[in-house]
Structure formats: structure tokens, C-alpha cells
Amino acid sequence: MKFIAHRGNFSGPSDRENHPSYIREALSRGYDVEIDLWYDGKFGLGHDKAEYQVDLNFLLNYKYWIHCKNIGALNELMGFRGSLNFFFHESDACVLTSGGYIWVYPGGEVSGNSVAVMPEMVPGWDYSGAYAVCSDYLYVAS
């Protein structure tokens, strides 16, 4: 199973979420990383707003699972469907990423091509058949 650090978190939530150095730290530990991306004339990382400006070169990493937080980010990445894995959602039960994976809301049905998101939110959720898990607590799962 693949392990994805949610916003760079791997040992619990942190105030460093989405910070480029925190993301690099999660990568150095062998995790893929879900990042929150905004675009308004420039790229920025952050959950509720763009806090950390990054450039396209930073984003060109096959280990990123890019959550486009606004339509601008989604539009900017559309030309990179073959080389980046990105998605947009707000309250959907699941969403298909540009890489062909099913990003599943906590507690949803999983399959061999899906990513179980935040299993810590749903005690007893059987996500063992998923391709990957995205969590704030990967040190427990891996």
C-alpha cells in the first residue's frame, strides 16, 4: 500500500502543513504527499488560502497528489495531465484524479484503484483493499 502524507503531515497535524520544507521532509521519509494548490496569477500552497508561493518546477513531482483548491489551479494544471496527478473536489463522496485514481472521502467504498482519505476520522473503516491511504498519521500505518 502507498502512504500519502496529508499536507505533509505524517505524525499528526502540524502548523507547518503545506510548507515547502515540510513537504520535502515527508518526501525524504519516503511518503507521497497531498498538497493544497491555489492559482491566481501565481501558484501558492495552503489549505484555506495561498500562503507559500511556489513555481511550476516545484510542482513537477510524480509523488505529489495535488488538491486544486480553486478552478484557476485546475485550469493551470490541465496541460500536465500526463505528468501530474491532481484533482478538484469540495464535498463529493469520491473524485477521479487526473492519474486515474479514485480519491475516496472518509468512510467510503474503496477498491484496488482508490485512495482512502483520513481513515483516522472513521474508526473501524476497512480500507485494506485500497491502493493508497492519505493520512495525518502515517507513522502508525506504515
Side-chain angles (χ1 to χ4, degrees), residues 74-120:
L74 183 63
N75 283 329
E76 286 298 309
L77 296 187
M78 288 301 290
F80 297 92
R81 285 188 303 255
S83 55
L84 295 176
N85 193 22
F86 57 92
F87 59 95
F88 176 91
H89 79 102
E90 290 181 338
S91 60
D92 309 288
C94 66
V95 64
L96 188 63
T97 74
S98 65
Y101 296 95
I102 304 167
W103 193 262
V104 179
Y105 192 79
E109 184 177 344
V110 297
S111 67
N113 199 37
S114 61
V115 177
V117 178
M118 304 299 284
E120 58 269 23

Side-chain angles (χ1 to χ4, degrees), residues 6-7 34 36-38 47-48 66-72 74 87-96 103-106 117 121:
H6 181 242
R7 302 179 195 146
E34 183 266 349
D36 295 329
L37 182 70
W38 299 82
H47 179 64
D48 295 318
I66 303 171
H67 181 179
C68 297
K69 299 296 281 187
N70 65 353
I71 297 300
L74 183 63
F87 59 95
F88 176 91
H89 79 102
E90 290 181 338
S91 60
D92 309 288
C94 66
V95 64
L96 188 63
W103 193 262
V104 179
Y105 192 79
V117 178
M121 295 176 67

Side-chain angles (χ1 to χ4, degrees), residues 11-72:
S11 60
S14 168
D15 59 1
R16 295 177 60 210
E17 290 182 349
N18 283 301
H19 190 284
S21 67
Y22 192 53
I23 291 166
R24 285 190 286 272
E25 182 180 343
L27 291 171
S28 74
R29 292 174 181 262
Y31 300 122
D32 281 19
V33 182
E34 183 266 349
I35 59 176
D36 295 329
L37 182 70
W38 299 82
Y39 184 82
D40 186 17
K42 59 187 179 231
F43 291 111
L45 302 177
H47 179 64
D48 295 318
K49 64 182 180 180
E51 296 181 70
Y52 311 108
Q53 187 173 343
V54 295
D55 60 21
L56 182 60
N57 285 332
F58 178 87
L59 298 173
L60 295 175
N61 189 320
Y62 70 95
K63 295 189 76 146
Y64 290 156
W65 298 73
I66 303 171
H67 181 179
C68 297
K69 299 296 281 187
N70 65 353
I71 297 300

